[in-house]
Amino acid sequence: MSDIICVTNRKLCSGDFLKRIEEIAACRPGAIILREKDLSEDEYERLAEKVMRICSGEGVFCILHSFAAAAKKTGAKGLHLPLSMLLRAEKSELLPFEAVGASCHSAEEAAAAQARGCTYVTAGHVFETDCKAGLAPRGTEFLENVCKSVKIPVLAIGGINRENAWKARRAGAAGLCVMSGLMKCENVEKYFTDMEKGREMK
């Protein structure tokens, strides 16, 4: 199983989105986080059912994003929330899920997420990325501090590519979240291979 975590954005996908999910799932990522927050809850639920079916067929863990009710209704085993939503949620709402994650931007936020019952957090953005144009990256020192502040796995996110993947791993990241790279690349299998080679670039 790869340490690469796919975070989806169907608007970045030039071809058929579900076909791309099939290609990604076939490469056995650590997980696929279905992050399509612009959809209504009903639309998201319908898409989630299709993506979860694909993931199940490949034995890939699927994490739904933001829509807790849809995640519970579809029987999802993973839920990812923005920290603000996590802190507002009742702890009973999180009980149905094996994995609960939150998006964090500081060591203090990561610690708060852990105290709230998260089983992992994402930390970013670590490197420069078009998704956060004009915002300075927080860097690997930030990532290392977050990793040291909690006992749960920390997934690095933001601008991660083959050239800098090893830096995030060396800082202590348990996984590397990738969005645009996996949504846009021409060859998904080659992308995973290149990211694995990033382990050696030191």
Side-chain angles (χ1 to χ4, degrees):
M1 190 71 72
S2 173
D3 67 344
I4 304 301
I5 311 297
C6 170
V7 181
T8 74
N9 184 337
R10 72 193 190 288
K11 292 184 177 180
L12 296 178
C13 188
S14 56
D16 181 80
F17 176 67
L18 291 177
K19 177 64 176 176
R20 176 51 54 107
I21 294 298
E22 289 176 356
E23 293 171 346
I24 293 169
C27 291
R28 304 296 302 280
I32 292 178
I33 300 176
L34 186 64
R35 185 187 184 277
E36 304 295 333
K37 297 195 294 184
D38 63 301
L39 297 176
S40 69
E41 187 140 12
D42 286 342
E43 292 171 329
Y44 182 88
E45 184 180 321
R46 288 194 293 271
L47 179 61
E49 288 174 344
K50 296 174 183 177
V51 171
M52 288 171 63
R53 194 175 303 121
I54 294 169
C55 289
S56 178
E58 295 289 348
V60 172
F61 198 77
C62 184
I63 300 172
L64 302 195
H65 195 295
S66 295
F67 295 103
K72 185 176 180 180
K73 187 175 179 181
T74 57
K77 295 181 179 179
L79 176 67
H80 188 96
L81 297 171
L83 183 64
S84 58
M85 290 181 67
L86 173 76
L87 296 178
R88 290 197 305 268
E90 297 291 335
K91 288 193 175 182
S92 59
E93 295 179 61
L94 309 179
L95 291 178
F97 306 104
E98 293 179 13
V100 177
S103 305
C104 298
H105 307 94
S106 69
E108 292 76 17
E109 288 186 357
Q114 178 177 256
R116 194 68 177 173
C118 279
T119 59
Y120 76 90
V121 295
T122 60
H125 64 290
V126 180
F127 304 109
E128 287 187 12
T129 172
D130 291 340
C131 295
K132 301 288 185 181
L135 294 177
R138 293 183 169 88
T140 53
E141 184 176 349
F142 149 80
L143 177 59
E144 186 172 357
N145 287 338
V146 173
C147 291
K148 289 179 177 178
S149 71
V150 293
K151 296 180 180 179
I152 55 178
V154 175
L155 311 181
I157 192 168
I160 296 169
N161 54 42
R162 179 187 172 184
E163 285 68 37
N164 61 33
W166 67 270
K167 296 180 181 179
R169 290 176 174 127
R170 188 175 65 179
L176 311 179
C177 294
V178 177
M179 179 187 288
S180 59
L182 282 171
M183 294 291 101
K184 293 180 177 181
C185 67
E186 294 183 5
N187 186 314
V188 172
E189 187 176 359
K190 183 179 184 299
Y191 187 91
F192 272 90
T193 300
D194 287 347
M195 288 293 284
E196 286 299 315
K197 288 179 180 177
R199 294 179 183 276
E200 304 165 9
M201 298 178 65
K202 299 183 180 180

